[in-house]
């Protein structure tokens, strides 16, 4: 793993409001198992190996960063990987999907299931069927989120980061923000930017977060999970041009958009030091661009 760099961002709006914004470049930790997915896999893979498993089985959507990371990590550690993928229709056309094509090259075996079956992925019956089909495997939940994943995410912040007043991250399942909240100080406030609509998240996060130092900002999901608007694409391209930091449209783009919108609205008092965690996800851009191109919409610059 490469050391993670904190990169300070300069923008006129930050100078005007006397704020410091720094981005923790977890996207650079590893070229393929990037960002928080590396953190979430670390202790799970160690445990799987300790317990003598030779196979990882997990779940995900067609463009999932977790699927991409699990496939590559499995290859690196000599573990077989099985991906239960949402969407039966992909069975015949998954080779057109850049995430799945790469995961397959990394050795992942797929099982495509309907959305209906996918929704029951945690049911006892479905797991029994999987055990019949694939025998012995170490099960990673969707998004890789479990207690060991949270433990890995507790290592995102380090001692130098205690200087920041605010720590921001994007939220999917909530494991990452739980880990960050656990390792942040009680004086720090952790702000989470959910990439999806819905109120279930607070409870999910409470299962793993031991502190009350976090809060969700639910206004910046841009219509829901994996939804991307021309405004968001324009923002991501503009931010990259000005700061040289690439963002993805599912998670980190929405978070940085949210932070800068809150800056404009004077949410943060002058002199506030903000640390934003870049959780990676850049592998997903190729798939997003494929869909934007089909709709004749502007693409994310790469
Ligand atoms: C998976 C992911 C997240 C969300 O992490 P959770 O632990 O599920 O909340 C955030 N950012 C990126 C880039 C991701 O891939």
């Amino acid at each position: 793993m490469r050391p993670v760099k904190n990169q300070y961002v300069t923008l006129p709006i930050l100078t005007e409001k006397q704020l410091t914004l720094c981005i923790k470049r977890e996207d650079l930790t590893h070229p393929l198992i990037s960002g928080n997915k590396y953190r979430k896999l670390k202790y799970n893979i160690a445990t799987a190996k300790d317990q003598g498993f030779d196979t990882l089985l997990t779940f995900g959507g067609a463009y999932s960063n977790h699927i991409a990371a699990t496939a590559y990590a499995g290859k690196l550690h000599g573990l077989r990987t099985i991906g239960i993928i949402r969407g039966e229709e992909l069975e015949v056309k998954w080779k057109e999907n850049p995430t799945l094509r790469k995961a397959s090259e990394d050795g992942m075996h797929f099982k495509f299931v309907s959305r209906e079956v996918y929704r029951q992925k945690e049911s006892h019956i479905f797991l029994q069927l999987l055990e019949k089909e694939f025998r012995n495997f170490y099960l990673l939940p969707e998004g890789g989120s479990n207690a060991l994943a949270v433990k890995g995410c507790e290592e995102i912040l380090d001692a130098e980061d205690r200087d920041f007043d605010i720590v921001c991250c994007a939220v999917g399942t909530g494991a990452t923000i739980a880990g960050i909240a656990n390792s942040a100080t009680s004086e720090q406030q952790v702000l989470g930017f959910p990439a999806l609509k819905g109120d279930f998240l607070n409870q999910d996060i409470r299962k793993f977060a031991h502190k009350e130092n976090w809060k969700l900002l639910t206004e910046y999901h841009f219509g829901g999970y994996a939804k991307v608007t021309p405004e968001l694409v324009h923002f991501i391209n503009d931010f990259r041009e000005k700061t040289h930091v690439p963002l993805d449209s599912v998670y980190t783009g929405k978070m940085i958009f949210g932070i800068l919108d809150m800056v404009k609205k004077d949410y943060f008092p002058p002199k506030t030091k903000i640390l934003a965690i870049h959780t990676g996800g850049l592998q997903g851009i190729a798939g997003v661009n494929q869909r934007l191109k089909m709709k004749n919409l502007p693409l994310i610059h790469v």
Side-chain angles (χ1 to χ4, degrees):
M1 179 184 148
R2 298 176 192 156
V4 178
K5 272 200 300 233
N6 281 354
Q7 177 176 345
Y8 285 87
V9 167
T10 44
L11 290 169
I13 183 84
L14 296 168
T15 317
E16 181 196 322
K17 307 279 186 185
Q18 300 177 56
L19 299 170
T20 303
L21 175 62
C22 186
I23 299 184
K24 188 179 275 296
R25 297 292 305 271
E26 291 267 316
D27 57 312
L28 300 175
T29 44
H30 190 283
L32 286 149
I33 326 172
S34 92
N36 63 346
K37 298 305 183 283
Y38 172 90
R39 305 284 182 181
K40 291 166 117 180
L41 284 167
K42 181 178 166 189
Y43 291 108
N44 276 297
I45 286 182
T47 304
K49 283 176 142 181
D50 278 354
Q51 295 179 352
F53 287 96
D54 64 1
T55 304
L56 303 172
L57 180 143
T58 196
F59 310 93
Y63 300 95
S64 162
N65 296 327
H66 168 64
I67 289 292
T70 303
Y72 192 78
K75 173 166 126 173
L76 218 58
H77 291 270
L79 295 164
R80 285 205 310 149
T81 53
I82 298 164
I84 311 300
I85 310 295
R86 182 178 58 229
E88 279 169 315
E89 73 284 358
L90 290 162
E91 180 98 56
V92 290
K93 55 173 189 186
W94 64 265
K95 286 190 179 134
E96 295 162 29
N97 174 303
T99 299
L100 296 180
R101 201 168 50 223
K102 177 71 174 69
S104 170
E105 282 164 17
D106 291 336
M108 185 174 266
H109 174 84
F110 302 130
K111 179 183 175 71
F112 296 95
V113 299
S114 68
R115 281 160 182 76
E116 206 183 342
V117 170
Y118 190 86
R119 240 176 273 127
Q120 288 157 36
K121 61 189 175 301
E122 264 132 56
S123 76
H124 195 60
I125 293 179
F126 187 53
L127 291 179
Q128 271 183 342
L129 286 174
L130 290 176
E131 268 163 14
K132 258 208 185 118
E133 187 170 347
F134 299 112
R135 304 284 157 194
N136 241 353
F137 52 76
Y138 182 89
L139 182 86
L140 286 165
E142 185 178 41
S145 296
N146 56 16
L148 289 173
V150 173
K151 178 175 160 168
C153 291
E154 288 171 3
E155 296 174 357
I156 291 175
L157 293 181
D158 50 43
E160 295 157 41
D161 300 328
R162 288 170 177 260
D163 228 23
F164 291 97
D165 306 300
I166 306 273
V167 181
C168 300
C169 71
V171 177
T173 62
T176 303
I177 191 174
I180 290 172
N182 289 344
S183 58
T185 69
S186 308
E187 289 75 49
Q188 288 179 314
Q189 185 165 46
V190 181
L191 299 180
F193 295 80
L196 59 172
K197 283 195 260 191
D199 289 331
F200 54 93
L201 267 170
N202 280 297
Q203 278 164 312
D204 287 354
I205 297 168
R206 258 185 218 110
K207 274 191 256 171
F208 290 119
H210 321 309
K211 295 184 188 164
E212 293 291 330
N213 56 352
W214 58 274
K215 157 172 156 180
L216 299 181
L217 284 308
T218 54
E219 305 295 301
Y220 299 107
H221 54 65
F222 282 85
Y225 190 72
K227 295 273 161 52
V228 49
T229 65
E231 183 192 21
L232 182 60
V233 171
H234 174 76
F235 171 77
I236 288 170
N237 289 338
D238 187 55
F239 189 80
R240 179 169 191 164
E241 203 167 291
K242 289 179 177 145
T243 65
H244 306 289
V245 180
L247 301 171
D248 81 300
S249 64
V250 181
Y251 293 106
T252 55
K254 293 176 179 178
M255 167 190 68
I256 297 285
F257 182 98
I259 294 171
L260 291 177
D261 187 60
M262 289 160 73
V263 165
K264 270 183 220 140
K265 293 175 177 161
D266 294 315
Y267 181 94
F268 305 106
K271 310 280 186 212
T272 303
K273 292 185 193 154
I274 307 162
L275 178 67
I277 313 297
H278 194 316
T279 40
L282 302 175
Q283 72 82 30
I285 293 175
V288 172
N289 275 344
Q290 215 175 39
R291 282 170 288 162
L292 290 171
K293 201 171 171 185
M294 280 193 313
K295 294 185 200 157
N296 244 328
L297 290 167
L299 306 187
I300 300 171
H301 298 164
V302 288

